[in-house]
Amino acid sequence: MSDGAMRGKGVPVRLDKVSFSYGEAPLTFDVAFAAAEITAIMGPSGSGKSTLLNLVAGFETPQSGRVLIGGADVGAAPPAARPVSMVFQENNLFAHLSVEQNVGLGRSPSLRLTEADRTAIAEALERTGLGGKDKRLPRELSGGERQRVALARVLVRDRPVLLLDEPFASLGPALRDDMLDLVAGVHAERGMTVLFVTHQPQDARRIGRNVVFLDNGAVAATGSADDFFVGAGPEAFRRYVGAGAGNAVSRDIARKRT
Ligand SMILES: Nc1ncnc2c1ncn2[C@@H]1O[C@H](COP(=O)(O)OP(=O)(O)OP(=O)(O)O)[C@@H](O)[C@H]1O
């Protein structure tokens, strides 16, 4: 894929009859993620959320079926050649590299940085509230700051697809909201396609337009977040979030937005 195609606005992501197994029961995914939208991926523990992201990122390989990004079959492409960035719950950073260098890896894996790269890195650090902390090591940062560094790297990488695997799960509610707002702000500006794994209905509702609900290694339901969270979602989803939680979440979000 050319560098031009790697950058810029979001592209659709599709898992076309993908089958994958760790050696036990196979997981099967047949699902499309709309271009330039944020889709929350929810489902019980072990339902296959991380596996789905890993298949898109290229950390796992399907036994059959195709992974399409922007219409192109990326099956043969290693993770670094795919037009995606990924942020995990933790361990996104290299412990021996400074904040600036960790972000710089988003531009150049060998850290051979041009002046333009350095400017982009400085801007990303300002944007994520890390200005002045560029020389610190990851261990000299809070958990929230470390996740901001990972987001700064996403900013400088500027790929059309962003995979978020519970990136803010270990942060407190107020900090989580700040981080979600940062993601929403970057999304509004860049329009990348975001696949956002979360167990938190409030978080899904806060930034997600769509929901993909996984159960038992397969897609059990898809729909708009509005439908899912006003109670029109499938029974299995309502059981998962808990009775009445959808409406409570909607009210909560409505309050926050007013
Ligand atoms: N490396 C692995 N080796 C063997 N089995 C695995 C491996 N990783 C995941 N699994 C199994 O595959 C299934 C899907 O796991 P996955 O991590 O995708 O679920 P998840 O929905 O992300 O769960 P959680 O919400 O707990 O993070 C589970 O049954 C899990 O035990």
Side-chain angles (χ1 to χ4, degrees):
M1 203 169 283
S2 74
D3 202 46
M6 296 279 269
R7 291 181 190 277
K9 234 175 137 53
V11 294
V13 174
R14 175 155 174 68
L15 286 85
D16 177 25
K17 300 191 185 67
V18 165
S19 168
F20 173 81
S21 167
Y22 291 105
E24 297 167 17
L27 296 96
T28 54
F29 300 116
D30 194 33
V31 62
F33 296 91
E37 289 187 359
I38 301 179
T39 301
I41 301 175
M42 304 192 74
S45 187
S47 58
K49 302 179 297 295
S50 295
T51 304
L52 192 159
L53 290 201
N54 287 334
L55 285 161
V56 176
F59 299 127
E60 302 288 3
T61 307
Q63 273 153 355
S64 62
R66 297 182 306 161
V67 175
L68 302 162
I69 302 180
D73 185 344
V74 294
R82 297 192 184 195
V84 307
S85 297
M86 188 156 172
V87 181
F88 302 90
Q89 185 171 342
E90 51 196 16
N91 297 326
N92 290 290
L93 308 181
F94 287 94
H96 63 291
L97 297 181
S98 68
V99 164
E100 190 178 35
Q101 289 170 319
N102 268 289
V103 176
L105 290 174
R107 279 292 167 121
S108 161
S110 59
L111 287 177
R112 269 186 226 110
L113 301 170
T114 63
E115 261 323 294
D117 291 335
R118 289 183 195 288
T119 305
I121 293 163
E123 279 170 10
L125 289 175
E126 280 302 322
R127 175 78 192 270
T128 50
L130 291 164
K133 300 196 166 132
D134 48 325
K135 302 294 180 226
R136 290 203 197 176
L137 291 172
R139 67 166 176 270
E140 297 166 330
L141 300 173
S142 70
E145 286 168 342
R146 281 197 285 273
Q147 293 307 74
R148 283 176 189 272
V149 176
L151 282 180
R153 182 158 65 205
V154 164
L155 279 172
V156 301
R157 251 172 88 75
D158 198 18
R159 293 295 191 262
V161 177
L162 174 58
L163 308 173
L164 301 173
D165 195 353
E166 298 193 67
F168 313 131
S170 59
L171 309 179
L175 190 51
R176 238 174 42 223
D177 282 352
D178 283 352
M179 301 294 274
L180 290 169
D181 291 348
L182 185 56
V183 170
V186 172
H187 176 258
E189 182 185 300
R190 305 258 173 110
M192 68 283 197
T193 306
V194 183
L195 278 55
F196 172 42
V197 169
T198 178
H199 278 288
Q200 302 299 329
Q202 308 91 303
D203 295 3
R205 188 75 186 90
R206 192 176 183 96
I207 65 168
R209 174 179 292 264
N210 303 311
V211 177
V212 166
F213 179 62
L214 302 186
D215 202 11
N216 210 10
V219 177
T222 61
S224 76
D226 286 344
D227 286 347
F228 269 71
F229 291 105
V230 294
E235 171 63 23
F237 178 75
R238 278 180 277 151
R239 268 202 311 277
Y240 167 68
V241 295
N247 286 327
V249 168
S250 297
R251 277 197 305 275
D252 192 34
I253 297 291
R255 254 202 315 274
K256 279 190 182 128
R257 283 189 177 157
T258 51

